Amino acid sequence: MNRLKGKSVLITGATSGIGKASAIQFAGQGCNLILTGRRKERLEDLSKVLVSEYQVTVVFEVFDIRELDACKEFVSNLVLDVDILINNAGLAVGVDSVQSGDFDDWDTMIDTNVKGLLAMTRLITPKMIERNSGHVINIGSTAGHEAYPGGVVYCATKHAVKAITESTKKDLHGTKIRVSMVSPGLVETEFSNVRFKGDDKRADSVYKGMQPLTAQDIAEIIVFVANRPDHVNILDSIIMPVYQSSAQMVHRDE
Ligand code: NDP
Ligand code: 8X3
């Protein structure tokens, strides 16, 4: 049953990976889309494809989610009511240990994954409260459930997303607004290319000898979470490839 047709879905970080795949899946359900990211050309191209293939309304805005003023301006200019907010924009940068980490990389992860997500939630939820309806879906990670070496700040940010999700649910207690988190394990997107700062060979090695999740696998879960009946709230869902049993326990065929 499609309960999503005609709803407006705001997806941060829709230029690639899980965000882009989610935009395609929600458009396929007949949702109108508000897309964000920093790469304008990608948003233009994706919007054109979605409008022509699915006949939905698509608007996009190019800005850096780390800039609070840009987030505020974006939200104040929105004409559509946001029914579903998907806080997806995020990244890992580097795999340094705590004793050798790069302070700028740490800022980038914290400002994007935590402060960007918080800003969007802070700015969008008041109108949801006024309407007593809406759904906030945060993209967490298995790294928000389990810390691993080389992930000190990335894991901290995703643990923060878990805490933010739980607190948001409790802050909105008694309203009809749903609050969810989707927590993937290894998904082959541009994530590892970004983490390894453009070292694509190293990025490919993350998925060597195993079949990772695809962005579409996760987008389908996000749509499932969003498409539950109004009284059903999925607080979290952990999805890993079958060859992955924990952050670092990954079986690889020879
Ligand atoms: P991608 O690198 O493919 O996509 C990341 C998206 O985030 C891009 O659209 C990017 O857009 C956007 N983004 C990053 N920084 C900013 C910024 N400062 N301002 C605005 N947008 C930004 O990776 P994924 O699709 O894999 O990642 C999506 C989410 O999923 C992230 O939160 C990630 O932590 C999470 N995740 C990923 C997993 C994986 O294995 N791939 C597993 C678990 C969770 P642009 O660069 O155009 O700004
Ligand atoms: C991304 C998955 O294992 O690289 O959140 O942390 S992992």
Side-chain angles (χ1 to χ4, degrees):
M1 182 180 189
N2 180 356
R3 302 180 180 89
L4 297 171
K5 194 171 165 45
K7 294 212 167 163
S8 298
V9 184
L10 193 174
I11 305 173
T12 66
T15 56
S16 75
I18 295 168
K20 179 179 176 182
S22 300
I24 295 166
Q25 290 296 317
F26 278 103
Q29 300 295 315
C31 295
N32 298 314
L33 295 164
I34 306 156
L35 308 177
T36 84
R38 291 166 299 178
R39 287 170 287 181
K40 184 178 179 196
E41 209 178 314
R42 287 192 181 206
L43 290 174
E44 278 171 350
D45 292 347
L46 178 61
S47 300
K48 275 185 207 148
V49 170
L50 296 178
V51 169
S52 77
E53 282 196 17
Y54 301 104
Q55 292 81 50
V56 292
T57 300
V58 183
V59 294
F60 66 85
E61 194 65 40
V62 180
F63 65 95
D64 189 324
I65 206 159
R66 290 172 294 178
E67 290 174 17
L68 180 57
D69 286 343
C71 293
K72 285 182 178 171
E73 195 184 336
F74 162 67
V75 173
S76 70
N77 289 332
L78 281 176
V79 282
L80 291 172
D81 282 336
V82 176
D83 296 306
I84 302 169
L85 166 63
I86 302 185
N87 280 314
N88 165 75
L91 76 177
V93 194
V95 282
D96 298 317
S97 315
V98 69
Q99 63 271 26
S100 59
D102 182 292
F103 291 105
D104 290 336
D105 290 348
W106 291 2
D107 281 344
T108 300
M109 289 185 272
I110 292 166
D111 291 350
T112 309
N113 303 358
V114 181
K115 293 169 75 178
L117 179 146
L118 272 174
M120 293 307 298
T121 307
R122 165 69 182 84
L123 294 166
I124 294 292
T125 49
K127 285 229 168 115
M128 288 182 171
I129 293 167
E130 268 176 33
R131 300 196 313 272
N132 198 19
S133 108
H135 197 165
V136 179
I137 303 179
N138 294 329
I139 306 306
S141 170
T142 46
H145 293 267
E146 181 195 355
Y148 54 82
V152 62
V153 172
Y154 181 67
C155 294
T157 65
K158 290 299 180 176
H159 275 70
V161 171
K162 180 172 184 288
I164 291 164
T165 305
E166 291 170 11
S167 284
T168 303
K169 179 73 189 79
K170 289 169 183 170
D171 284 345
L172 299 176
H173 181 69
T175 74
K176 291 184 176 168
I177 301 163
R178 295 186 285 168
V179 183
S180 304
M181 178 163 79
V182 172
S183 301
L186 291 170
V187 190
E188 190 167 13
T189 60
E190 293 177 15
F191 179 85
S192 292
N193 310 78
V194 171
R195 175 169 232 172
F196 296 121
K197 305 180 181 181
D199 183 344
D200 295 342
K201 216 169 146 195
R202 195 169 175 197
D204 289 346
S205 72
V206 172
Y207 313 107
K208 200 164 169 246
M210 56 90 65
Q211 186 176 353
L213 299 170
T214 64
Q216 186 180 325
D217 291 330
I218 298 305
E220 287 173 3
I221 302 284
I222 295 168
V223 166
F224 177 85
V225 168
N227 195 35
R228 293 310 85 217
D230 287 347
H231 68 288
V232 178
N233 187 70
I234 297 179
L235 188 62
D236 195 4
S237 47
I238 300 176
I239 309 102
M240 288 192 264
V242 69
Y243 269 13
Q244 182 176 24
S245 300
S246 75
Q248 293 200 302
M249 212 174 155
V250 180
H251 176 80
R252 296 181 198 275
D253 291 328
E254 292 305 312

